[in-house]
Amino acid sequence: MSTTTNPPAANPRDRILTVSLVILCQIVHGISFSAMPLLLPLIREDLNISFTQAGLLSAAATFSYALGQIPAGFLSDRYGPRRLIFIGLLGWSVFSVFLGLIHLFWLAVISQLLAGAFRALLFAPGMSLLASWFPAERRATAMSLYMLGGFAGTIVLSLGGPLLSAVYGWRAAFMMMSAIGIVMAFVYLRYAREKPRSVPAQHLALSDVARLFSYPIMWVCSGLQFVRFAVVTAYMVWLPSLLVVDRGVSVQTAGFIIAMAAAFTAPSNTLGGYVSDRLRNPPLIIGGALCVLACTSLLISVTDSLPLLLLVIAVNSIFLQFYFGPLFLVPVEILGPRIAGTATGFSNLFANIGGFLTAWAMGAIKDQSGSFTAGFISISGICLIGVALSFVLARMRGKALAQATL
């Protein structure tokens, strides 16, 4: 006689607690992650480096983070995401603390490279863990929730970071904000849970990862991810410097403006996922958001009036990550949840290549031209490329879904 063992039922309390802890981890991570661009004018003066070097310092963590995306996704799918998130947050926070002790540019770059490698263990595993606790029809919303924590951390940092740095200096402020992540990592490890599997785990092989390269839709999604994070990085890394250096506002005022921008982005990120789930048309959300961003990026580059600039920044912030959940949903929607972590890592690899190049290039453009105008005009052009790719994605997704129903 054969017997079947039913998996333990998912505990609603575990679901609420785990989702809350993942978002809290993102808040804590968002605080230390957002500290670099906001305090970059102070860091640049302290280390006596150029804008190009400042861009390289900002991009260092993004470079190693990008390289770690596919391995992190593969490890998450094969061994589960819970412990990877703990290791990622702990390592990121420890090396972020070290940055506050460093006085040499090249050591700061190495520290950020190591921090970024650990940060890679946060994204794909975190997205996978969150999505696993939600039904399939709500996963774009679930994926958007992941970023809600990051933007909440940006708001906290933007309001409190300049005040802390004014009192204690940027080094002590950076170390204090990063140390919170070490404590949060152990709280998460103690209480977070993975959802019990309804079917036995099917371990991925390296051939499954290699097969992702054969799907044309993955390349289109990766191109859109390149565009998405190139645009996000332009604002995340260089908007504070644009405000302080080109527009002449103080670091404290820039902090309030960045907090305002993050306050608009955080709910719109989740709203975009909800609208996509309701309409069941992710490419429409992606293309529409990029159209708006193309216009706002052009306006930011040529607007001198501070009140008008604030209005444009507010509109830009609403659409900056409006399409985050829909874009990450499409590969999972087409390829299935079994390979969700690896597919997420694949897409995010190209996203962070875009982020790395943008962080470096806009600093170099500033050094060569003396302003950020040409850089943000280029970002507007990149958005238009993304609009074209959204039309391609709509056709490919429609064909793939039609074939799946045959």
Side-chain angles (χ1 to χ4, degrees):
M1 177 183 290
S2 63
T3 60
T4 59
T5 302
N6 293 325
N11 187 332
R13 181 176 176 273
D14 286 343
R15 175 179 181 268
I16 295 171
L17 185 59
T18 300
V19 169
S20 299
L21 284 170
V22 172
I23 294 174
L24 281 172
C25 285
Q26 270 296 94
I27 292 174
V28 170
H29 158 256
I31 291 173
S32 53
F33 179 69
S34 302
M36 171 63 77
L38 182 62
L39 301 180
L40 191 59
L42 303 178
I43 297 171
R44 189 174 61 82
E45 289 182 5
D46 189 356
L47 298 181
N48 192 27
I49 58 178
S50 67
F51 283 99
T52 303
Q53 289 174 308
L56 182 61
L57 178 61
S58 299
T62 301
F63 178 73
S64 54
Y65 176 69
L67 295 180
Q69 289 305 298
I70 292 178
F74 175 78
L75 291 172
S76 176
D77 286 334
R78 188 171 178 87
Y79 300 109
R82 176 175 163 270
R83 288 186 176 86
L84 291 175
I85 296 171
F86 163 73
I87 295 169
L89 182 58
L90 181 63
W92 162 264
S93 301
V94 167
F95 280 104
S96 294
V97 170
F98 285 168
L99 180 64
L101 302 172
I102 292 172
H103 292 265
L104 296 176
F105 169 69
W106 65 271
L107 281 178
V109 171
I110 292 174
S111 173
Q112 287 296 281
L113 283 170
L114 293 171
F118 280 98
R119 181 173 169 251
L121 298 177
L122 286 171
F123 187 79
M127 293 269 283
S128 180
L129 182 60
L130 262 189
S132 70
W133 283 101
F134 286 78
E137 65 272 13
R138 295 181 60 199
R139 282 183 179 159
T141 304
M143 291 178 171
S144 299
L145 279 174
Y146 182 79
M147 294 304 292
L148 180 64
F151 286 109
T154 300
I155 294 171
V156 173
L157 181 277
S158 299
L159 294 175
L163 298 176
L164 285 175
S165 64
V167 175
Y168 301 105
W170 78 264
R171 293 180 180 277
F174 204 100
M175 292 169 67
M176 285 188 286
M177 291 181 288
S178 301
I180 300 172
I182 299 174
V183 176
M184 187 64 216
F186 286 98
V187 173
Y188 162 85
L189 181 65
R190 172 66 180 82
Y191 295 105
R193 297 288 182 268
E194 291 183 14
K195 183 179 180 180
R197 295 179 182 267
S198 57
V199 295
Q202 295 178 308
H203 290 309
L204 291 180
L206 290 176
S207 59
D208 294 307
V209 179
R211 196 173 297 119
L212 286 175
F213 289 87
S214 68
Y215 293 109
I217 198 167
M218 286 300 304
W219 289 104
V220 175
C221 288
S222 297
L224 281 163
Q225 290 285 6
F226 182 100
V227 170
R228 178 188 68 84
F229 206 62
V231 177
V232 169
T233 301
Y235 290 99
M236 181 174 62
V237 173
W238 290 115
L239 183 58
S241 293
L242 171 105
L243 293 168
V244 173
V245 179
D246 279 10
R247 300 298 189 267
V249 306
S250 67
V251 173
Q252 287 78 14
T253 302
F256 283 114
I257 295 172
I258 300 302
M260 175 206 71
F264 281 113
T265 302
S268 70
N269 182 64
T270 304
L271 179 62
Y274 174 78
V275 172
S276 177
D277 284 338
R278 296 285 293 178
L279 297 179
R280 298 188 179 182
N281 192 349
L284 176 64
I285 305 300
I286 295 166
L290 284 168
C291 278
V292 176
L293 291 171
C295 296
T296 55
S297 297
L298 183 62
L299 288 171
I300 283 174
S301 67
V302 298
T303 301
D304 292 322
S305 168
L306 186 58
L308 183 57
L309 181 62
L310 293 178
L311 177 61
V312 176
I313 290 173
V315 174
N316 182 86
S317 301
I318 292 171
F319 290 93
L320 189 62
Q321 291 275 38
F322 193 80
Y323 58 107
F324 175 91
L327 182 52
F328 274 103
L329 172 67
V330 172
V332 179
E333 181 184 43
I334 301 301
L335 303 179
R338 174 175 174 263
I339 201 168
T342 308
T344 298
F346 184 98
S347 297
N348 210 38
L349 164 65
F350 291 90
N352 283 276
I353 292 174
F356 170 78
L357 293 175
T358 301
W360 167 79
M362 289 194 67
I365 290 171
K366 167 65 176 175
D367 276 336
Q368 292 298 317
S369 67
S371 76
F372 289 103
T373 299
F376 280 98
I377 291 175
S378 300
I379 293 300
S380 179
I382 291 172
C383 290
L384 292 177
I385 294 173
V387 173
L389 285 174
S390 71
F391 283 100
V392 178
L393 180 63
R395 292 190 63 183
M396 297 179 70
R397 174 180 175 269
K399 290 180 179 179
L401 293 178
Q403 290 174 358
T405 59
L406 293 178

